[in-house]
């Protein structure tokens, strides 16, 4: 046989050729991953691209201080090529994450279908946020109209922050003060019409985006505490929540110094 006629170094070199060729091919081939990084944040109490995020009619609206910043991640597009070298580079960076593409985008859908899906999720999230907030304040949606607008953002992960923003604009902390206590509060989480807060993913990147944009407190779904702590920026306090009532109570306790503030 050919290998029996070769010296050991020569045989190793010959055997290594197919492996090198395989790695080279893998390095060039597209992989089923998306690469994510910290994305934009937006203060739901203010404006986004010149348009108020929350507009309310049918009830008195408070002038607020402080900020409630929803957070996002930015991921490579569903049709964008991701190679092995891209994955390896991102794997060793704390400001990047490698995620299965199917966990970011619905499998098998076109770019247009994915955009429509994300838009529909955002609209549903906004409707649920309005219902949860008005129910919490015992207000009727027949008398109070809430309009939510946030350009270029899709998905349901801003639900909790939308809900808190509506409550802050209508009622503050319930005693004449701001729900934020004048702080820059950031966070993430879906919201159910019953006030249940759900997990969203990407929280380790979202905490980085929050701290970058001045937040000192981050509201995180309790189920994602460990992920949020994995790359937690210095100066950012995690406050885990499972419900709207719990989130409001935690913010009130932060402001007044009375009561307990949960921690991860």
């Amino acid at each position: 046989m050919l290998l029996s006629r070769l010296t050991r170094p020569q045989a190793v070199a010959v055997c290594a050729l197919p492996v090198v060729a395989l790695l080279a091919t893998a390095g060039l081939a597209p992989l089923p991953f998306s690469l994510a990084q910290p994305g934009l944040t937006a203060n739901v109490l203010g404006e986004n691209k010149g348009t108020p995020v929350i507009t309310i009619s049918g009830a008195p609206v408070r002038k607020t201080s402080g900020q409630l910043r929803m957070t996002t991640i930015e991921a490579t597009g569903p049709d964008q090529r991701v190679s092995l070298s891209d994955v390896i580079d991102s794997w060793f960076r704390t400001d990047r994450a490698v995620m299965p593409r199917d966990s970011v985008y619905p499998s098998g859908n076109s770019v247009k279908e994915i955009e429509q899906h994300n838009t529909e999720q955002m609209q549903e999230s906004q409707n649920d946020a309005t219902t949860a907030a008005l129910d919490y304040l015992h207000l009727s949606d027949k008398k109070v109209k809430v309009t939510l607008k946030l350009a270029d953002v899709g998905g349901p992960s801003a639900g909790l922050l939308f809900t808190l923003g509506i409550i802050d604009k209508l009622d503050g902390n319930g005693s004449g003060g701001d729900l934020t206590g004048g702080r820059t509060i950031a966070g993430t989480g879906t919201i159910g019409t019953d006030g249940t807060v759900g997990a969203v993913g990407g929280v380790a990147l979202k905490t980085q985006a929050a701290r970058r944009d001045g937040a000192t407190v981050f509201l995180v779904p309790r189920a994602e505490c460990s992920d949020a702590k994995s790359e937690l920026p210095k100066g950012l306090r995690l406050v885990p929540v499972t419900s709207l009532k719990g989130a409001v109570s935690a913010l009130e306790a932060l402001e007044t110094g009375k009561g307990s503030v949960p921690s991860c």
Side-chain angles (χ1 to χ4, degrees), residues 26-28 31 82-90:
L28 296 174
L31 298 174
V82 175
S83 68
L84 179 61
S85 60
D86 296 326
V87 171
I88 293 173
D89 177 63
S90 297

Side-chain angles (χ1 to χ4, degrees), residues 2-22:
L2 175 61
L3 290 181
S4 66
R5 301 175 186 174
L6 300 176
T7 65
R8 182 179 179 83
Q10 289 173 328
V12 171
V14 170
C15 292
L17 287 176
V19 177
V20 171
L22 180 61

Side-chain angles (χ1 to χ4, degrees), residues 44-244:
V44 300
L45 296 175
E47 295 184 348
N48 177 248
K49 295 190 175 181
T51 301
V53 177
I54 300 174
T55 303
I56 300 173
S57 60
V61 176
R62 301 177 61 256
K63 183 177 180 180
T64 60
S65 66
Q67 298 183 22
L68 285 169
R69 302 197 75 89
M70 55 78 63
T71 55
T72 67
I73 61 172
E74 293 178 1
T76 50
D79 57 350
Q80 188 170 338
R81 181 188 182 94
V82 175
S83 68
L84 179 61
S85 60
D86 296 326
V87 171
I88 293 173
D89 177 63
S90 297
W91 195 270
F92 293 100
R93 296 179 58 170
T94 58
D95 62 342
R96 296 288 189 275
V98 180
M99 307 173 71
R101 185 173 295 166
D102 290 351
S103 72
V104 181
Y105 302 106
S107 178
N109 290 356
S110 67
V111 174
K112 185 175 181 179
E113 289 172 333
I114 289 170
E115 290 176 349
Q116 181 178 352
H117 175 75
N118 286 340
T119 299
E120 290 172 353
Q121 279 195 315
M122 171 60 88
Q123 185 59 58
E124 183 179 356
S125 174
Q126 292 174 341
N127 293 340
D128 290 348
T130 299
T131 299
L134 295 182
D135 283 354
Y136 180 84
L137 296 173
H138 306 294
L139 296 173
S140 170
D141 59 3
K142 295 180 180 180
K143 294 184 179 183
V144 181
K145 182 179 179 181
V146 179
T147 301
L148 301 172
K149 290 185 178 180
L150 192 58
D152 302 327
V153 177
S157 66
L160 172 61
L161 272 293
F162 281 142
T163 310
L164 293 173
I166 296 168
I167 293 172
D168 202 17
K169 280 183 170 288
L170 287 171
D171 194 52
N173 64 0
S175 303
D178 294 300
L179 196 57
T180 63
R183 297 178 174 85
T184 296
I185 309 288
T188 191
T190 64
I191 194 74
T193 54
D194 62 352
T196 300
V197 176
V200 291
V203 293
L205 297 176
K206 291 178 179 180
T207 58
Q208 294 179 49
R211 190 68 187 107
R212 178 198 67 204
D213 292 350
T216 56
V217 175
F218 190 90
L219 302 176
V220 60
R222 180 174 287 280
E224 297 181 291
C225 265
S226 59
D227 290 341
K229 290 194 296 185
S230 64
E231 300 293 345
L232 186 64
K234 185 178 181 180
L236 188 65
R237 179 177 183 175
L238 291 178
V239 177
V241 294
T242 58
S243 68
L244 174 59

